[in-house]
Amino acid sequence: MAQAQLSIDLAAIRANWRALADLTTGEAGAVVKADAYGLGVDKVAPVLADAGAKRFFVAIASEGVTLRRVLGEGPEICVFSGHMKGDAEALRAANLVPMINSIDQMLRHVEALPGHPFGIQLDSGMNRLGMEPSEWAALREIALAQKPRLVMSHLACADEPEHGMNALQLRTFREMTDDIDAPRSLSATGGILMGPDYHFELTRPGIGIYGGLPFADATPVVELMLPVIQTREVTPGESVGYGNAWVARVPTKVATIAAGYADGIHRALAKKGYVWAGNTRCKILGRVSMDLITIDVTTLKEVPEQVELLGQKQSVDTVADAIGTIGYEVLTSLGNRYARTYTGA
Ligand SMILES: *Cc1c(COP(=O)(O)O)cnc(C)c1O
């Protein structure tokens, strides 16, 4: 095997969406922004549509244009960033539903695309996107008269169910929307797991579909296998890699594997990271290079042709923990140099 192999289990993606949809009291949508969290929207979105997802979410209009090409007419495609300057033609041509985030966006929308569907995004406390209560109060009658497809908000702390912010945002969202007819949505993956109070008519799972926390019961989706290029014995006092960052104290067998930070394997993984050779954990030695990583294979009876960075032994969240980030970033960083295979379609 000459090239690092990233395999993406579409059956696991389908099962994870199904599980989150089953937990949802109303309808479950699917968030496929950032190329389906780095896993390939052209492959992932049709599987989700086939599993029953009817409403998809992307971050920006150009992602919606791509997704429309992938899905064809039918599924609704909502754009979190709303109607930004220059978006009108894309929104119209691909029949996208912008989540309007401000009075400015609302004006832009009705001027450029009168009668074109839209949704509303409200800020219930996260202070990132959406209309604040006062803005909403000023606009709501006009907006509601045009029958928005969805009125949504987003939780800041849903990965910490006990956090007081959740109840506060729920209360704020209810105060802003309890007397409206439009379908409502508050929860992503974390909110789904907090229970029906948070579900309203539609949920918007993302990371859980792709096998990441906070959906602890998710089926793993990605497997990343890296080929061993070469092995060598180093003697005490010899160093390995850039900057002589690791120096052998005892005789050590070192394997060099074919992937690096250009493939989305963060350099910070050098300090605390491991790869797996079968059931044996092998420490990363020295620095992560652009295209290469060196690992300790001293205890292995036989050095395998490939080692696992992500898969059954090590989840995206294990790797994320080691480098002080979240599974979302590990997934969306996965590079373009892997040979990608999709299984379970
Ligand atoms: C990314 C995103 C989601 C999906 O969140 P997950 O935590 O990945 O489930 C839902 N809603 C909004 C507004 C988002 O930005």
Side-chain angles (χ1 to χ4, degrees), residues 73-302:
E73 292 306 318
E76 185 157 295
I77 300 174
C78 302
V79 182
F80 288 138
S81 63
H83 188 147
M84 295 197 290
K85 211 169 170 197
D87 280 350
E89 180 48 27
L91 295 172
R92 190 196 60 73
N95 192 19
L96 310 175
V97 180
M99 296 292 119
I100 300 295
N101 286 298
S102 64
I103 292 179
D104 278 355
Q105 284 203 344
M106 191 76 231
L107 293 173
R108 180 181 293 136
H109 187 68
V110 295
E111 267 174 33
L113 298 173
H116 186 93
F118 67 93
I120 297 281
Q121 183 155 205
L122 300 176
D123 175 33
S124 54
M126 190 177 185
N127 285 313
R128 189 183 66 169
L129 269 184
M131 296 184 212
E132 310 238 339
S134 60
E135 226 179 343
W136 175 231
L139 193 75
R140 51 175 278 157
E141 253 179 79
I142 303 170
L144 291 173
Q146 299 176 64
K147 301 254 177 276
R149 292 282 176 91
L150 187 69
V151 176
M152 61 165 281
S153 189
H154 193 50
L155 297 168
C157 300
D159 57 340
E160 298 172 64
E162 302 308 318
H163 201 298
M165 184 67 169
N166 295 311
L168 184 70
Q169 285 194 261
L170 176 61
R171 196 165 69 234
T172 305
F173 185 59
R174 296 203 79 124
E175 281 166 9
M176 292 169 90
T177 61
D178 258 353
D179 51 351
I180 71 175
D181 288 333
R184 291 184 286 176
S185 177
L186 180 61
S187 287
T189 303
I192 293 173
L193 301 172
M194 287 195 299
D197 285 355
Y198 286 86
H199 292 182
F200 298 92
E201 282 72 39
L202 181 84
T203 58
R204 310 183 308 272
I207 190 72
I209 301 173
Y210 308 105
L213 290 176
F215 188 28
D217 295 335
T219 305
V221 168
V222 293
E223 182 189 74
L224 179 54
M225 301 298 292
L226 309 176
V228 174
I229 305 174
Q230 189 182 9
T231 60
R232 76 185 72 241
E233 310 280 348
V234 299
T235 55
E238 283 194 289
S239 60
V240 171
Y242 281 123
N244 293 1
W246 184 83
V247 180
R249 295 212 185 91
V250 296
T252 304
K253 189 170 190 183
V254 178
T256 302
I257 57 179
Y261 62 76
D263 302 293
I265 300 168
H266 201 283
R267 289 179 74 252
L269 199 61
K271 292 257 164 25
K272 295 185 211 122
Y274 297 86
V275 299
W276 288 80
N279 292 318
T280 308
R281 202 169 75 146
C282 303
K283 192 171 178 22
I284 294 176
L285 302 176
R287 293 194 185 155
V288 171
S289 304
M290 186 184 292
D291 322 300
L292 300 166
I293 298 171
T294 37
I295 61 171
D296 184 350
V297 293
T298 310
T299 64
L300 295 182
K301 284 204 190 73
E302 205 179 321

